[in-house]
Amino acid sequence: MPGKLKAKIVAGRHLPVMDRASDLTDAFVEVKFGNTTFKTDVFPKSLNPQWNSEWFKFEVDDEDLQDEPLQITVLDHDTYSANDAIGKVYIDIDPLLSCEAATVISGWFPIYDTIHGIRGEINVLVKVDLFNDLNRFRQSSCGVKFFCTTSIPRCYRVALVHGFVEELVVNEDPEYQWIDRIRTPRASNEARQRLISLMSGELQRKIGLKVLEMGGNAVVGYLQCFDLEGESGLVVRAIGTACTLDKLTSLHTIPTLTDGCVCSPGRPVFSEDPPHPLSGPPTPLRTLPSSSPPPFSPSKPCSRQSSSSDTDLSLTPRIGKTSPPSSPSPPLSAPFLIPSQKLTEFPIFTLTCFPPGFLVHVGGVVSTRSVKLLDRIHNPDEPETRDAWWEEIRQEIKSHAKALGCHAVVGYSESTSICEEVCILSASGTAAMLNPRFMREGCLDTGGSDHRFEDASPPSCGFVHIPYDEFNMPFPAQLTYCYHCRRQKVPDVLFTTIDLPAEAEVTGKGCLIQARLCRTKKKAQGEVNATSISNLLPFMEYELHTQLMNKLKLRSMNALFGLRIQISVGENMLLGLASATGVYLSALPAPGGIQIAGKTPSDLSYDQHISTMQKRIDDTIAKNKELYNIHPPECIEEVVGSPIPDRQRSSRLFRSTSESSDELSELDLSHGKKDAFVLEIDDTDAVEDIQSLLTDAPIPAGFYSCNTEVMPGIYNWTSGLQMFTSVRVYRLSNANLTNQGLNKIFTDLCENLLKSLYFKLRSMIPCCLCHLNFTVAVPEEELIQVRGHTYLSTPLQSWSGENEEQLQFSMELCGESTISNNQPTAKPSVSSSERCSPLPEGRSRSLRSTRSLPCGAPVTVVKMTPLSFLPGTRIVKYLGIINMFFIRETTSLREEGGVSGFLHSFIAEVFAMVRAHVAALGGNALVSYSMKECVFMENPNKNQAQCLINVSGDAVIFIRESDQEAIPPLLSSRQTSSTGADGTT
Amino acid sequence: MVWGMFPCHTLGPLIPVEQRLNAIPCRFYAPKNSGCSEGKGVPDPVRTNAKMSVELDVFVGNTTIMDEEVYQFWLDGYTVNDAVKVRMEGGVLEECEASAEVLRSDTMDQYRTFQMCERLLHSPAKLANQLLFQIPPHRQAMLIERYYTFDGLFVREVLGKKLSKGTKKDLDDVSAKTGVTLKSCRRQFDNFKRVFKVVEELKGPLVENIRQHFLLSDKLARDYAAIVFFANNRFETGKKKLHYLTFQDFAFCAGQLISNWTVGALDNMVEDMDVDLEKEFLQDLKELKILITDKDLLDQHKSLVCTALRGKTKAFNEMEANFKNLSRGLVNIAAKLTNTKDVRDFFIDLVEKFIEPCRSDKWTAGDMRLYLTHYTNSAHILDTFKHQVVWDRYMGVIKSCILKMYHD
């Protein structure tokens, strides 16, 4: 009995009228956890009942605490007939299980009904008393922190990155069970919501167990997805990066915290006395209580590793299967020779943003797709088929990375697209070389052995240097010496899925680049269908790539960050959408222009046509250079043709690893020979390319857009204003469209959505649309759904926008926060955001009690952003992950304003519920927000529609930077105390 | 070929597919040839070109986004198409190179948001603590204030009428007459009715109640108080002779009546609030009749006033000649106010019995002020006249009302 859950129902407000006769409601509440149910008294004849119930206590296993949500049902008492349900609230109590997150959940929650939407609000208090269970064989993993954020959370320091964790849970979808034929839609929706809530709880618990086993205490970049496989079942899967995080507490600095951790080289912010990157003493690792050697052996027989990277790549073996380590990582004689082999066990990272020094080299994008046919999940306890599929994919990703001479994949993500029984599994990431000191204890004895990083390059250009062997390049590319350090080779173009590293040097500004593609496909069934899709995929990827390349050149940029390629399958078409942020990296060579060549010679008018087109392209390039302010210093081109002998030590070192990569030859590289910069106009494809190149509407003045977290080239953003979600569904009325026609339409759709955004936000300029991401789907035949969400920031100079009101307790908060001033060199914003004391509990509790007064205090403003931070503010506390799944259904579609009205109010409701949960945890913002799923189905003939939405993010408390400066007396007094504390340590 | 972007893709082991019965949940199974959305309430899909149409288009922000201009169109009862047309003419498009389609989509989004907010605007206090829309407080205030703002022309038509279903049915005539769209008329009418209903049951000062309950500005709350007061007492305002008066004239008079002649005027927290005129006071007004029935008193009053006025105004002769008539008119109005019917005719009587005669004699506003001041003050000197308090309470209001109403 390791946990006691306590819940108290305080009051309700704005309840709906349930009794037509009196225009009032006799409401009572059922509180359910697991199989235990409590009830409050009936509060008769009121729309604002005050129950003020006793504490309902549930004594439960911590395993259940992790899996189950607290379920609160509000009902209307009826003497003669059955009680009518008003609605429900599901509360995930996971944030209460970690001592560093929230301590109490308290606040107003919208009462939600899957048919009627939000119907009033209820005030609830929830607490957990946890008796920690240190049983080795426990099934729970309380205390492991989860973050959706794909960078190291702002008030933590990473001590160790353990690597990839994944898990997958399957079940039958209640919507497709036989019982669904006899139960009400409401019952079916609720069963589904509850099941998914349970499954994600279970998933999180299982992942937590794996993390504990690896010796970590947190999962960063946690990405959970649902696959609604229809009648094949329901799959919930998650990936993440296991880490050991230390909370940054400047007041209570323990010696081991600062000295004993693995401190990254260029990261002095974190410790008073940063160990020198290379000469630092071997540092004992301080992690979780589990001091036993990690169960995964880092040292496999080397011979085997090097020979076959794809036979033995068991990713994080399942529990129970783990064999004890053969030997506790024997010190290797020459650790620098085979760092990649030491890491092959867990070479995949979901992070997109890294501490400086973490990335050594970046190879390029690796991606894999696989087409599968779904069948019914026969035994939910054995999700092996799906597991095997993903394992296969990950292995392939790894082998691609290896082909690029890299030992790790960063910025990794997985996705699926399902249409009937066909499923495309996709994974992509960026092949990279990482600094091993973050990974392993064994690698930490740096004492000069780290030759590979010794000559390594100034941080501002090191990551663009090629990791692969230039004698044995995986693909043809033009190499030049780095324009920054002039010592090592760099490619001419770089594509990545990660965010722009903070230390990278950029010329000019970045911009959003999208490639869009639509391909028709014959309708088919089963294997035939799968095969035809599978045949189309490589061509689609190739074409998306060409488009990206051309658009990049047109903007005279040379690198893409945050690349996301999405391929969606529909019954009779495939959609491809690639978005990325283009930048000009100063270290890479300037891109050449685009040349148009005609095949048929010497027709005068034809030549003219070509030359006008060429002129248009040249003009556009010139204009774009101006627009994005790209004026690189003139450099003498020194192209180094690939196989030129070179004396670089690093390249020789790499050879040893890449010799074994015989997959290289397996890669189909034939299409890579085509030169991307000469467009041959004869070919219809090329005409299409040029069309799409030149029809991209220019972005209106005053707007900037990117799909990464920060806009490259502009750095002084103020606190963001807004987060938007936009959903559009288009119906194609003519099914017999050609590829080109479809392409045109699809491009128009995306352009229109962008134009709409610009139009709506015209009053905010100059502003930047950050993290602008589109999701496409083909929900039905002839329907295309495009979903975009973005976050708006305005630059500091012209801060004109909305006067958002301050949070009611922000001033009090900053009174408690401590900023010590004695950091060496760091950007002020960073330093202050990393160093703060946690919110004192007493304070927060008293604040909450004022908030929970029924009907009294105003609603807390909760910000939402897809970024991992809020510009102009600093996050002082992470309160836990928010992961919610909602279903809404209507049988009166027309009355609710048609499909748009229905979805509009549903999305607004989802936002409201998310905000309420964040506020109840004591937070004032949700960062790393994402809407992962938005499945919409309608049947206008029956006046019905249904929609499923899944959202997630991290609940946080932030304070404004300006608030800290506003209270100098407090600050200075704190400073003295903090220096005192430092003195004692 | 750059950066290993194109991997081999694997076609996984294919698994035989079972016979499937319902791939889509049966509730949502739409027959393939059923034709696409023909929902009547659904706004027409926007035809972007011959080959595709927008089926669904929503845009939602965490903080609810509203364009004040579009809000005004919505309040004014414009249809989406009309609003788009007006916006287009307004030149928004040139500003940012948007197409009509973009404008339309934006307008629809905004209209939807307003429709969803409307429920909350009906009880503005809810807007502050509801959770569905996150709206900054200054925006909330703007939304409420504009929602409750009404057209002067429209309110003039329904002022003093019973706020009943019957009146609501006639709104299309009002709409035709005033040029305010029917939709907007209905909204305004419903606002009046809603405010009326809420304050009807409340105790305490009328204006304060309205302001607290509907979170309106002081000015708007006062106007609503006037509307409620007029509707409750059913003052006649529609007669031709009264047409020259604006709503603001009436609102001013209502304010005077509320703060001087109602129960609440003397005691703030009495049971009955300030919607009704004080019965006792009306009863007392009868006593004033002595001023015209007693011949001596009337003559005495006249001579006092004339002495005071002589030489100060050009209209002296007319004033002297008309004194008895005018005085009879005002005192008779006072004496009759116990009668509900005569209360309704209060403004008509004021105009007929006093304002029109004066106007035909070409009194200036200054003359009027002078006359009324002396007329009121002289009564105090009359030694046999005992009802000074009632007289002051009566004449104070009458004087300011007449001064307000005395214009062309």
Side-chain angles (χ1 to χ4, degrees):
Chain A
M1 197 259 330
K4 196 191 265 177
L5 171 69
K6 299 189 291 182
K8 181 183 173 118
I9 308 298
V10 184
R13 66 182 181 194
H14 310 331
L15 293 189
V17 171
M18 298 298 283
D19 179 1
R20 289 269 167 75
S22 65
D23 269 2
L24 290 168
T25 296
D26 305 318
F28 71 102
V29 182
E30 273 183 13
V31 187
K32 188 177 175 196
F33 189 83
N35 294 318
T36 319
T37 308
F38 292 102
K39 278 183 195 172
T40 65
D41 297 332
V42 175
F43 194 91
K45 307 219 175 305
S46 171
L47 297 183
N48 299 298
Q50 304 287 321
W51 291 289
N52 237 328
S53 77
E54 58 190 297
W55 284 99
F56 299 122
K57 298 189 179 92
F58 302 87
E59 296 180 340
V60 279
D61 279 344
D62 49 359
E63 194 179 331
D64 287 341
L65 280 176
Q66 286 195 292
D67 287 6
E68 297 257 359
L70 181 69
Q71 187 179 331
I72 294 167
T73 314
V74 186
L75 298 114
D76 176 50
H77 176 74
D78 207 326
T79 321
Y80 304 109
S81 58
N83 298 327
D84 295 326
I86 296 174
K88 292 195 177 202
V89 179
Y90 293 95
I91 300 178
D92 179 14
I93 42 179
D94 219 45
L96 296 182
L97 303 180
S98 160
C99 50
E100 279 170 44
T103 53
V104 65
I105 296 177
S106 158
W108 288 101
F109 292 91
I111 303 169
Y112 180 72
D113 179 75
T114 58
I115 305 291
H116 293 103
I118 290 180
R119 304 170 98 190
E121 288 132 34
I122 186 170
N123 194 302
V124 182
L125 259 161
V126 186
K127 284 183 183 175
V128 172
D129 290 336
L130 201 62
F131 319 119
N132 228 333
D133 183 8
L134 294 174
N135 184 348
R136 259 183 81 76
F137 302 104
R138 63 183 178 159
Q139 286 300 299
S140 72
S141 55
C142 294
V144 173
K145 296 178 283 286
F146 284 82
F147 301 93
C148 295
T149 305
T150 56
S151 55
I152 301 304
R154 299 274 159 151
C155 46
Y156 289 92
R157 170 183 49 198
V158 61
L160 200 63
V161 182
H162 299 276
F164 190 66
V165 280
E166 52 80 37
E167 186 57 84
L168 181 147
V169 183
V170 297
N171 212 319
E172 263 185 88
D173 192 338
E175 182 103 20
Y176 296 85
Q177 283 163 351
W178 66 271
I179 196 172
D180 199 56
R181 287 153 195 261
I182 52 168
R183 66 180 161 191
T184 62
R186 176 183 281 121
S188 149
N189 291 340
E190 279 171 7
R192 225 170 163 194
Q193 279 192 175
R194 205 182 114 74
L195 177 74
I196 291 188
S197 177
L198 267 173
M199 285 168 78
S200 46
E202 185 190 340
L203 192 72
Q204 218 166 308
R205 173 173 59 83
K206 286 187 171 168
I207 289 219
L209 273 173
K210 288 188 177 178
V211 172
L212 288 179
E213 232 170 291
M214 292 164 96
N217 65 357
V219 181
V220 183
Y222 184 67
L223 174 76
Q224 185 188 299
C225 294
F226 298 94
D227 296 334
L228 300 166
E229 296 185 350
E231 63 172 16
S232 313
L234 192 61
V235 177
V236 186
R237 59 192 161 79
I239 54 176
T241 306
C243 297
T244 302
L245 296 184
D246 291 332
K247 188 139 178 66
L248 290 162
T249 48
S250 50
L251 265 182
H252 323 283
T253 320
I254 312 159
T256 50
L257 259 179
T258 42
D259 307 328
C261 73
V262 191
C263 210
S264 71
R267 212 166 196 209
V269 183
F270 291 146
S271 60
E272 276 83 355
D273 178 29
H276 189 271
L278 300 176
S279 61
T283 44
L285 192 76
R286 195 208 59 87
T287 48
L288 273 195
S290 66
S291 55
S292 59
F296 304 109
S297 161
S299 56
K300 299 252 165 147
C302 288
S303 58
R304 199 177 159 198
Q305 274 296 311
S306 54
S307 62
S308 60
S309 64
D310 42 4
T311 49
D312 183 32
L313 284 164
S314 63
L315 297 143
T316 44
R318 246 166 265 116
I319 310 139
K321 223 169 84 181
T322 324
S323 54
S326 49
S327 60
S329 44
L332 292 152
S333 51
F336 57 91
L337 274 177
I338 40 172
S340 62
Q341 283 158 24
K342 293 180 78 183
L343 291 162
T344 42
E345 191 84 65
F346 19 71
I348 296 182
F349 301 87
T350 53
L351 303 179
T352 59
C353 205
F354 304 92
F358 189 92
L359 277 181
V360 181
H361 300 303
V362 171
V365 169
V366 286
S367 88
T368 305
R369 285 174 214 287
S370 162
V371 183
K372 302 285 183 189
L373 277 183
L374 301 172
D375 72 335
R376 193 183 285 279
I377 297 169
H378 293 285
N379 182 1
D381 297 327
E382 301 266 321
E384 260 146 17
T385 330
R386 265 69 174 177
D387 254 348
W389 289 353
W390 286 111
E391 210 136 304
E392 203 176 274
I393 295 244
R394 288 167 198 143
Q395 274 180 19
E396 192 157 321
I397 281 280
K398 273 182 292 190
S399 66
H400 292 331
K402 199 146 187 256
L404 286 172
C406 296
H407 60 247
V409 176
V410 294
Y412 178 74
S413 65
E414 294 175 349
S415 63
T416 55
S417 168
I418 298 172
C419 175
E420 305 272 310
E421 77 272 358
V422 176
C423 173
I424 302 183
L425 311 180
S426 317
S428 65
T430 305
M433 299 285 294
L434 303 181
N435 190 335
R437 74 187 67 244
F438 281 92
M439 311 297 146
R440 289 275 91 196
E441 238 170 314
C443 293
L444 291 174
D445 41 53
T446 40
S449 64
D450 232 347
H451 291 293
R452 290 189 37 192
F453 307 111
E454 217 166 69
D455 60 343
S457 39
S460 62
C461 69
F463 77 98
V464 298
H465 298 165
I466 52 163
Y468 36 85
D469 184 356
E470 64 179 282
F471 302 106
N472 195 1
M473 282 206 302
F475 39 77
Q478 287 198 315
L479 298 181
T480 45
Y481 280 112
C482 173
Y483 275 53
H484 193 267
C485 64
R486 298 262 159 211
R487 283 196 291 163
Q488 296 198 17
K489 301 283 179 58
V490 294
D492 51 350
V493 180
L494 186 64
F495 283 13
T496 70
T497 59
I498 55 172
D499 273 4
L500 182 70
E503 64 268 27
E505 213 174 281
V506 171
T507 305
K509 302 184 190 84
C511 79
L512 179 78
I513 293 180
Q514 275 192 333
R516 303 133 183 159
L517 189 68
C518 200
R519 283 279 170 271
T520 54
K521 157 184 103 58
K522 287 227 170 62
K523 254 191 247 181
Q525 292 290 312
E527 294 196 23
V528 185
N529 194 19
T531 317
S532 68
I533 292 172
S534 163
N535 287 339
L536 272 172
L537 284 179
F539 297 101
M540 291 191 67
E541 291 217 40
Y542 173 69
E543 215 155 290
L544 284 173
H545 175 264
T546 315
Q547 264 191 46
L548 281 177
M549 213 39 157
N550 288 337
K551 290 192 179 179
L552 193 65
K553 297 282 168 201
L554 199 63
R555 286 166 179 79
S556 67
M557 295 176 180
N558 56 18
L560 285 181
F561 288 90
L563 178 63
R564 238 174 111 241
I565 308 163
Q566 213 196 331
I567 294 202
S568 298
V569 56
E571 258 179 71
N572 53 359
M573 66 176 116
L574 283 165
L575 289 182
L577 180 69
S579 333
T581 303
V583 293
Y584 185 103
L585 283 178
S586 316
L588 296 190
I594 300 177
Q595 272 203 342
I596 297 184
K599 260 184 192 162
T600 35
S602 66
D603 175 349
L604 201 67
S605 68
Y606 183 74
D607 278 349
Q608 219 161 19
H609 178 60
I610 285 185
S611 65
T612 46
M613 212 163 238
Q614 179 73 52
K615 192 169 174 328
R616 269 177 74 194
I617 286 179
D618 292 344
D619 287 352
T620 319
I621 291 179
K623 215 165 66 196
N624 280 332
K625 267 190 180 170
E626 217 42 61
L627 181 62
Y628 301 115
N629 200 15
I630 297 172
H631 301 292
E634 286 301 315
C635 283
I636 316 114
E637 290 274 327
E638 35 179 336
V639 179
V640 187
S642 330
I644 285 179
D646 186 71
R647 299 142 304 277
Q648 293 264 334
R649 199 173 359 163
S650 61
S651 60
R652 228 172 298 131
L653 282 169
F654 278 117
R655 276 180 82 175
S656 60
T657 55
S658 53
E659 263 163 7
S660 61
S661 55
D662 35 16
E663 306 95 311
L664 271 184
S665 52
E666 287 162 27
L667 281 172
D668 175 24
L669 296 165
S670 54
H671 49 336
K673 298 280 192 277
K674 184 178 170 187
D675 191 349
F677 320 128
V678 179
L679 294 173
E680 287 182 351
I681 202 134
D682 257 3
D683 161 357
T684 43
D685 275 1
V687 173
E688 204 181 309
D689 281 341
I690 293 168
Q691 285 302 332
S692 67
L693 268 181
L694 296 172
T695 51
D696 260 13
I699 184 165
F703 279 106
Y704 304 97
S705 62
C706 62
N707 77 336
T708 48
E709 295 222 324
V710 285
M711 173 73 192
I714 304 176
Y715 297 102
N716 45 353
W717 299 107
T718 58
S719 67
L721 286 169
Q722 271 282 13
M723 187 275 299
F724 309 103
T725 294
S726 182
V727 182
R728 285 190 178 187
V729 175
Y730 296 86
R731 179 177 293 279
L732 306 175
S733 47
N734 185 356
N736 306 319
L737 282 169
T738 57
N739 276 341
Q740 256 143 319
L742 270 176
N743 257 349
K744 174 91 177 64
I745 287 177
F746 184 45
T747 306
D748 285 350
L749 301 187
C750 297
E751 286 287 323
N752 269 339
L753 193 54
L754 280 174
K755 271 189 210 156
S756 260
L757 285 177
Y758 297 142
F759 177 75
K760 278 175 195 288
L761 306 173
R762 67 194 182 282
S763 59
M764 315 269 195
I765 54 167
C767 64
C768 174
L769 303 173
C770 299
H771 216 282
L772 181 61
N773 270 321
F774 282 13
T775 314
V776 291
V778 193
E780 254 177 72
E781 201 181 337
E782 289 166 23
L783 284 186
I784 298 181
Q785 178 186 332
V786 184
R787 189 169 86 230
H789 50 87
T790 185
Y791 184 70
L792 183 80
S793 284
T794 47
L796 201 58
Q797 315 90 301
S798 55
W799 162 249
S800 60
E802 321 238 300
N803 244 336
E804 285 152 306
E805 94 257 57
Q806 297 279 324
L807 267 145
Q808 46 182 350
F809 54 88
S810 56
M811 285 310 282
E812 290 168 87
L813 268 182
C814 50
E816 300 293 333
S817 67
T818 314
I819 306 103
S820 62
N821 247 354
N822 51 349
Q823 294 117 27
T825 57
K827 281 184 288 179
S829 63
V830 178
S831 60
S832 51
S833 71
E834 314 270 314
R835 227 167 232 271
C836 58
S837 68
L839 174 69
E841 298 307 333
R843 170 71 69 189
S844 65
R845 212 167 283 139
S846 69
L847 285 165
R848 267 182 214 114
S849 63
T850 55
R851 199 174 36 236
S852 62
L853 284 176
C855 298
V859 180
T860 316
V861 174
V862 175
K863 307 213 165 207
M864 287 163 73
T865 168
L867 310 183
S868 63
F869 63 98
L870 284 142
T873 65
R874 66 192 184 88
I875 293 169
V876 291
K877 191 174 181 185
Y878 281 81
L879 298 163
I881 195 168
I882 297 273
N883 188 358
M884 301 207 273
F885 179 84
F886 297 102
I887 301 179
R888 179 86 149 78
E889 182 168 345
T890 183
T891 48
S892 51
L893 187 59
R894 278 193 284 278
E895 292 75 6
E896 292 194 31
V899 284
S900 299
F902 170 69
L903 193 63
H904 192 142
S905 59
F906 183 39
I907 294 178
E909 282 170 350
V910 168
F911 286 177
M913 287 184 276
V914 169
R915 284 195 301 260
H917 277 83
V918 173
L921 287 170
N924 55 12
L926 186 79
V927 297
S928 299
Y929 158 82
S930 80
M931 184 183 283
K932 294 205 197 86
E933 205 76 63
C934 178
V935 183
F936 182 78
M937 284 182 274
E938 62 162 326
N939 186 345
N941 296 319
K942 286 189 181 173
N943 205 14
Q944 283 179 336
Q946 190 191 36
C947 186
L948 296 85
I949 287 184
N950 173 223
V951 290
S952 64
D954 295 324
V956 298
I957 300 176
F958 74 85
I959 58 172
R960 281 161 201 276
E961 296 282 1
S962 51
D963 288 352
Q964 306 162 6
E965 290 142 26
I967 41 157
L970 256 174
L971 192 71
S972 56
S973 72
R974 286 285 163 186
Q975 257 173 18
T976 54
S977 72
S978 76
T979 43
D982 287 347
T984 58
T985 57
Chain B
M1 184 62 276
V2 186
W3 319 136
M5 178 175 146
F6 308 131
C8 345
H9 57 281
T10 39
L11 179 65
L14 295 174
I15 297 139
V17 186
E18 293 170 49
Q19 193 62 41
R20 46 194 58 231
L21 296 169
N22 52 342
I24 306 175
C26 38
R27 276 183 279 147
F28 296 98
Y29 181 68
K32 280 279 145 63
N33 49 3
S34 64
C36 44
S37 69
E38 331 166 75
K40 296 205 177 56
V42 183
D44 312 336
V46 186
R47 296 278 153 187
T48 51
N49 64 39
K51 283 173 182 167
M52 66 174 179
S53 55
V54 177
E55 190 91 333
L56 182 157
D57 179 7
V58 288
F59 178 84
V60 192
N62 179 36
T63 301
T64 309
I65 315 131
M66 287 160 181
D67 184 318
E68 295 191 20
E69 188 197 16
V70 184
Y71 187 47
Q72 199 54 54
F73 289 138
W74 179 73
L75 289 175
D76 291 342
Y78 283 59
T79 61
V80 174
N81 286 331
D82 289 347
V84 170
K85 215 177 284 167
V86 179
R87 289 182 85 185
M88 256 178 357
E89 284 156 13
V92 213
L93 287 184
E94 285 96 68
E95 262 175 52
C96 37
E97 307 156 26
S99 64
E101 195 187 315
V102 165
L103 197 60
R104 189 189 163 84
S105 135
D106 177 58
T107 314
M108 296 248 269
D109 264 323
Q110 305 261 1
Y111 266 53
R112 257 199 314 272
T113 309
F114 301 138
Q115 263 152 28
M116 283 192 269
C117 281
E118 191 166 17
R119 189 175 50 84
L120 296 165
L121 286 167
H122 289 168
S123 44
K126 268 191 194 167
L127 197 62
N129 64 8
Q130 51 85 33
L131 302 176
L132 188 55
F133 298 104
Q134 186 159 279
I135 307 169
H138 67 281
R139 283 256 142 154
Q140 288 182 13
M142 183 280 290
L143 284 179
I144 296 167
E145 191 77 6
R146 292 246 192 123
Y147 189 77
Y148 282 90
T149 303
F150 45 79
D151 280 302
L153 276 181
F154 170 78
V155 71
R156 199 52 197 77
E157 292 299 317
V158 292
L159 194 63
K161 282 191 186 147
K162 203 172 169 188
L163 299 175
S164 64
K165 286 212 174 104
T167 318
K168 196 173 177 182
K169 269 184 197 145
D170 298 336
L171 284 181
D172 37 1
D173 295 340
V174 177
S175 163
K177 193 174 166 192
T178 56
V180 178
T181 59
L182 184 60
K183 206 168 157 243
S184 178
C185 288
R186 293 219 171 105
R187 171 182 60 84
Q188 298 181 36
F189 184 80
D190 288 341
N191 282 346
F192 298 159
K193 208 169 155 181
R194 193 174 315 112
V195 173
F196 186 87
K197 245 186 149 173
V198 166
V199 292
E200 208 177 25
E201 289 155 14
L202 292 174
K203 295 167 190 173
L206 183 59
V207 178
E208 197 47 39
N209 277 340
I210 294 174
R211 195 167 47 204
Q212 277 184 3
H213 236 235
F214 291 92
L215 308 174
L216 299 178
S217 66
D218 191 58
K219 169 86 179 61
L220 201 52
R222 279 179 196 286
D223 286 352
Y224 268 93
I227 292 165
V228 168
F229 187 73
F230 268 71
N232 189 55
N233 290 295
R234 309 274 305 281
F235 287 110
E236 177 61 64
T237 63
K239 286 271 161 57
K240 201 159 184 216
K241 283 178 179 166
L242 296 178
H243 278 180
Y244 79 98
L245 291 169
T246 65
F247 170 72
Q248 283 311 324
D249 295 335
F250 283 118
F252 175 82
C253 297
Q256 289 295 315
L257 291 171
I258 291 169
S259 47
N260 293 303
W261 287 5
T262 58
V263 191
L266 298 178
D267 182 353
N268 265 341
M269 291 316 279
V270 239
E271 285 291 297
D272 226 345
M273 23 75 66
D274 3 284
V275 179
D276 296 310
L277 298 175
E278 188 188 340
K279 290 252 161 55
E280 274 174 54
F281 167 68
L282 297 181
Q283 208 63 45
D284 292 345
L285 284 178
K286 289 202 157 168
E287 310 289 335
L288 299 181
K289 257 200 142 161
I290 197 164
L291 280 175
I292 48 170
T293 48
D294 188 324
K295 188 107 182 31
D296 287 348
L297 217 49
L298 184 60
D299 287 338
Q300 212 178 332
H301 196 187
K302 180 180 172 184
S303 64
L304 280 172
V305 173
C306 289
T307 321
L309 288 176
R310 178 165 295 129
K312 288 184 184 161
T313 163
K314 281 184 188 163
F316 176 73
N317 290 336
E318 288 85 355
M319 283 180 186
E320 192 176 24
N322 271 339
F323 179 84
K324 285 186 182 170
N325 259 343
L326 294 175
S327 185
R328 268 193 208 108
L330 287 183
V331 175
N332 273 330
I333 292 175
K336 286 195 299 178
L337 281 179
T338 41
N339 229 333
T340 331
K341 170 78 183 62
D342 291 303
V343 171
R344 288 186 196 170
D345 288 340
F346 176 71
F347 292 98
I348 266 273
D349 288 344
L350 273 186
V351 170
E352 279 180 352
K353 302 277 160 56
F354 197 90
I355 293 174
E356 282 187 344
C358 299
R359 197 184 285 146
S360 63
D361 287 342
K362 307 243 163 63
W363 293 21
T364 63
D367 295 339
M368 181 62 88
R369 178 177 300 279
L370 202 64
Y371 176 82
L372 284 173
T373 314
H374 289 294
Y375 177 72
T376 311
N377 293 344
S378 304
H380 293 286
I381 317 172
L382 299 170
D383 39 356
T384 49
F385 184 63
K386 301 278 183 259
H387 312 287
Q388 308 289 1
V389 181
V390 178
W391 176 251
D392 274 348
R393 191 170 170 191
Y394 177 67
M395 279 314 291
V397 171
I398 291 290
K399 185 182 156 194
S400 43
C401 285
I402 289 178
L403 287 176
K404 184 78 185 174
M405 289 159 71
Y406 192 69
H407 63 81
D408 292 332

